[in-house]
Amino acid sequence: MKIITWFGTLTLDSDGKVVEWDLFPKDTDVLAERLIQPKEADMNIPPTGFDIRAAAIECGFVASNDEYDKLLRDVSIRAAKQQISSGTPDMGIIQAVEALDDIDETANTLSERLAEWYGMYFPEVGLSSEPLVRFVAKYGSRSNIPTDDRLYEKATSSMGAELTGLDEELVKGFAENICTLYDSRSRIEEYLVKSMETTAPNLVNIAGALIGARLVSMAGGLEKLARFPSSTIQVIGANRALFKHLRARAPSPKHGIIFNNPIIKNAPWWQRGKIARALAAKISLAVRMDVYSGELNESIKTELDAKIESIKAANPKPPKRENKNKNKGGKVKGKGQKQNTGGRR
Amino acid sequence: MAAKEVSAGIFEITERGGKQLATINLVPSASVYGEKLIEIEGCEYRIWNPKRSKLAAMVIKKFNVPIKRDSKVLYLGAASGTTVSHVSDIVSDGIVYAVEFSQRTMRDLIGLCDVRSNIVPILADANRPQSYAHIVEEVDVIFQDVAQPNQSEIAAVNAKQFLKRDGHLLLSIKARSIDTVANPKKVFKEEVRKLENDFDVKFEVADSQELMPFHEDHLGVMARVRHV
């Protein structure tokens, strides 16, 4: 029997004794290469109970136990380093999506702080988040607002304190910093759109670039996403609702992050579940096409559109509310609306 | 301050009335993940937090840990190497084969291997022992902390290929990764039954205890292979 080990191929007799050997060159790089790709024709793995270490010494590959340990360790480290350095484009997409979320969170906190801060000096400004940040970064104190700005009137009659000197410098600088965050955010979005169009054209065509990127990020890679069943894709991002459903009697979620796609978002509530199912099915087809062929195929989109049209035609009106709980006071809540329908759960 | 050896290479340090686990630092003055270093009588110890390590929790739960100074250990689910570093301290004359599947955590693990001479990093799936059978020799102990739904099967296939006849398996079973909704007690019972009956290799469970309060819904198991 021929077996493969990290230091060479060995031939064993029926008693498991090494009778012949073909050793690899004793070079860390070569050995690391072999360690990663051990597959050679008609090779077996060592049988149970076979002592690899003793065989290495017996064949004269290494002189001692210590040398065995040292060499194997060096080779393994080299091999592991090689294996982790191979980054793929979808890994870049994942990092970008995560960075986007981090920026959103941070920019939100900071812009809220700025709103509080700037409110001392110009409480009537009536802006918030990005518009406010851009405004403060541009003008600073309200005395700098030009006469043709639509906030000029409010600025001159404001009850806020004067913003001057060091305070103005500080507040304005703070706003400028947040501006760079917003700029960075839009650059990342541009990158995502571009990168998704080259790595996953079909997914972009069906789900849109940003939702597609988010799906890839949540699945942990394009290939992993391609292996998900469409029922999983339908509810990715609705984890809490899903586990609530599995644990207790909560209704199952109809859609996860694919809800953000306008074709679901803009649909009336009684069609959303059906459309989500159709969309998820086509998304999973699209991703598989991206991973395994890489070519854009318009027919998925055409089929999806046709399916959605037929859903819309078959369900033009909201379903009638079942009235099982007649005369059971307290059970029927709300006015003429069925419980637990519509909306993202 | 005093250090008492509770198991080979594992010490209990009494300091101001409180007791803490520790191992002797193989690489003096280097802290791996921010743990505290304490010097007692010229010997540097690394404090070992049972909340961060299933193995440390098992030591506190009075498991008879079979790892010796010269043991060969196959460590499945090495992650970024928090516990691996302590095992590496314990087996100062032995070797640790550290198997990890995630590239991201392997990055941290390699950093650890670079400074410690007795860890062999292996980037592989513990489900497929044949993918690293050309590297790993027979070992005295398999320690497994993989949080996979089929973890008892993983233990069995690895024990079959790598565990010495009189070797030990140390296993941490995470109920929540087997069934998120079932009662953990039932999950544990079923997993122990599987270990004892279901696979090519049949185990004899020597000790099993829940790792509360250090790890919720985790069962520590020590087992040996049952030979017929």
Side-chain angles (χ1 to χ4, degrees):
Chain A
M1 179 171 70
K2 276 196 142 187
I3 63 163
I4 185 147
T5 67
W6 65 275
F7 53 86
T9 57
L10 314 174
T11 311
L12 307 185
D13 66 10
S14 52
D15 297 331
K17 279 207 140 196
V18 183
V19 287
E20 237 181 87
W21 55 80
D22 179 15
L23 302 178
F24 299 147
K26 210 165 156 182
D27 175 285
T28 318
D29 286 324
V30 180
L31 288 168
E33 203 61 47
R34 298 264 186 166
L35 200 71
I36 301 169
Q37 293 290 352
K39 283 282 164 285
E40 278 168 54
D42 60 275
M43 283 295 165
N44 296 298
I45 58 167
T48 5
F50 181 76
D51 193 340
I52 301 187
R53 179 187 293 264
I57 295 174
E58 194 187 320
C59 305
F61 185 72
V62 289
S64 66
N65 275 321
D66 283 352
E67 196 194 346
Y68 181 93
D69 289 343
K70 197 179 170 308
L71 190 60
L72 176 56
R73 167 178 173 266
D74 291 347
V75 172
S76 297
I77 292 177
R78 180 70 55 91
K81 279 182 182 167
Q82 256 174 42
Q83 280 167 290
I84 60 170
S85 57
S86 53
T88 47
D90 52 345
M91 293 300 140
I93 289 172
I94 293 176
Q95 291 298 335
V97 170
E98 307 259 313
L100 213 58
D101 289 346
D102 289 347
I103 289 180
D104 280 344
E105 212 184 307
T106 316
N108 244 331
T109 322
L110 294 179
S111 71
E112 272 168 35
R113 170 55 48 217
L114 182 73
E116 286 296 310
W117 199 347
Y118 196 64
M120 282 170 64
Y121 306 105
F122 189 5
E124 298 86 351
V125 67
L127 300 170
S128 66
S129 64
E130 191 169 350
L132 174 76
V133 175
R134 300 270 181 210
F135 179 82
V136 178
K138 196 168 168 193
Y139 299 124
S141 164
R142 66 191 148 78
S143 58
N144 300 333
I145 296 170
T147 44
D148 57 343
D149 195 289
R150 60 182 183 82
L151 284 168
Y152 178 74
E153 286 290 306
K154 281 183 178 173
T156 44
S157 61
S158 172
M159 63 177 168
E162 282 304 320
L163 176 59
T164 49
L166 200 56
D167 290 279
E168 182 179 10
E169 230 171 86
L170 216 54
V171 174
K172 205 172 167 207
F174 186 62
E176 280 162 3
N177 278 336
I178 310 174
C179 277
T180 62
L181 274 183
Y182 285 123
D183 295 343
S184 169
R185 186 187 197 288
S186 49
R187 276 202 304 280
I188 292 178
E189 260 185 13
E190 276 166 35
Y191 162 85
L192 276 176
V193 171
K194 256 190 219 146
S195 181
M196 282 296 289
E197 265 164 12
T198 47
T199 17
N202 286 300
L203 179 56
V204 173
N205 197 22
I206 301 299
L210 294 179
I211 296 175
R214 215 156 267 279
L215 284 170
V216 171
S217 157
M218 284 178 159
L222 197 61
E223 216 179 312
K224 280 193 186 156
L225 183 63
R227 289 183 188 171
F228 279 178
S230 70
S231 55
T232 304
I233 292 177
Q234 191 184 339
V235 295
I236 293 183
N239 306 26
R240 272 186 62 186
L242 181 64
F243 284 112
K244 208 171 165 190
H245 166 62
L246 292 175
R247 266 192 200 143
R249 277 190 170 177
S252 64
K254 295 196 297 293
H255 27 56
I257 62 155
I258 61 168
F259 177 77
N260 291 317
N261 189 309
I263 64 169
I264 298 181
K265 216 177 196 170
N266 298 341
W269 58 262
W270 66 89
Q271 292 173 359
R272 284 177 180 169
K274 293 178 175 62
I275 294 178
R277 190 143 40 92
L279 179 64
K282 293 304 176 197
I283 288 177
S284 90
L285 270 182
V287 180
R288 286 168 202 186
M289 214 160 265
D290 286 331
V291 171
Y292 300 110
S293 93
E295 315 243 311
L296 182 63
N297 186 335
E298 284 292 344
S299 73
I300 311 178
K301 179 76 178 162
T302 330
E303 282 169 27
L304 176 63
D305 290 343
K307 177 81 189 167
I308 288 172
E309 279 318 307
S310 78
I311 290 173
K312 287 191 169 162
N315 304 278
K317 283 187 182 146
K320 286 241 164 57
R321 197 163 147 256
E322 285 170 44
N323 214 350
K324 278 187 210 156
N325 299 319
K326 251 188 245 167
N327 304 327
K328 282 189 183 171
K331 277 265 181 177
V332 184
K333 290 178 202 159
K335 278 180 192 160
Q337 265 206 339
K338 196 179 163 191
Q339 286 281 299
N340 285 332
T341 44
R344 180 159 45 156
R345 298 189 202 112
Chain B
M1 250 191 298
K4 188 182 117 202
E5 191 160 10
V6 289
S7 170
I10 305 172
F11 297 83
E12 192 178 76
I13 291 184
T14 316
E15 187 191 20
R16 285 186 229 106
K19 285 178 181 174
Q20 284 179 303
L21 280 188
T23 53
I24 295 179
N25 197 351
L26 191 69
V27 186
S29 75
S31 171
V32 175
Y33 53 96
E35 76 284 13
K36 217 169 119 193
L37 305 176
I38 291 182
E39 195 171 309
I40 301 171
E41 290 161 10
C43 187
E44 189 179 276
Y45 295 86
R46 293 170 53 226
I47 298 299
W48 193 7
N49 184 350
K51 284 196 174 157
R52 298 191 59 170
S53 167
K54 318 274 156 47
L55 184 56
M58 286 165 87
V59 173
I60 291 189
K61 291 279 176 177
K62 299 269 191 296
F63 274 78
N64 191 5
V65 177
I67 307 174
K68 305 275 179 289
R69 176 184 275 274
D70 60 350
S71 290
K72 293 176 177 135
V73 179
L74 174 59
Y75 195 122
L76 305 172
S80 39
T82 311
T83 306
V84 176
S85 71
H86 288 283
V87 176
S88 147
D89 279 349
I90 300 169
V91 300
S92 51
D93 291 332
I95 189 163
V96 186
Y97 294 94
V99 177
E100 172 56 43
F101 188 46
S102 151
Q103 300 205 351
R104 173 65 192 85
T105 47
M106 185 48 103
R107 220 154 75 191
D108 297 340
L109 189 62
I110 289 176
L112 188 71
C113 301
D114 272 333
V115 293
R116 287 173 171 258
S117 58
N118 58 358
I119 308 176
V120 175
I122 298 169
L123 183 68
D125 184 352
N127 273 301
R128 301 183 58 246
Q130 64 273 23
S131 69
Y132 46 91
H134 63 298
I135 307 171
V136 180
E137 60 187 317
E138 276 205 306
V139 296
D140 304 291
V141 178
I142 293 179
F143 180 82
Q144 180 182 315
D145 180 14
V146 293
Q148 289 290 313
N150 61 336
Q151 41 186 279
S152 47
E153 186 188 347
I154 294 176
V157 291
N158 280 282
K160 187 180 178 194
Q161 179 71 28
F162 302 113
L163 196 58
K164 280 186 185 164
R165 215 184 136 73
D166 56 350
H168 291 81
L169 168 75
L170 282 170
L171 184 65
S172 154
I173 297 174
K174 182 180 174 187
R176 292 280 174 241
S177 59
I178 291 165
D179 191 329
T180 46
V181 292
N183 178 354
K185 296 250 183 324
K186 278 190 190 149
V187 176
F188 293 149
K189 216 171 161 186
E190 170 65 10
E191 290 305 302
V192 168
R193 189 198 61 71
K194 277 194 207 163
L195 284 170
E196 286 173 337
N197 301 301
D198 274 11
F199 310 105
D200 287 356
V201 171
K202 307 217 177 340
F203 292 99
E204 197 172 18
V205 173
D207 198 355
S208 69
Q209 286 174 53
E210 285 191 46
L211 301 181
M212 289 290 274
F214 309 111
H215 303 273
E216 216 166 297
D217 299 331
H218 281 73
L219 183 77
V221 173
M222 188 168 88
R224 312 180 58 142
V225 176
R226 192 167 73 218
H227 298 286
V228 278

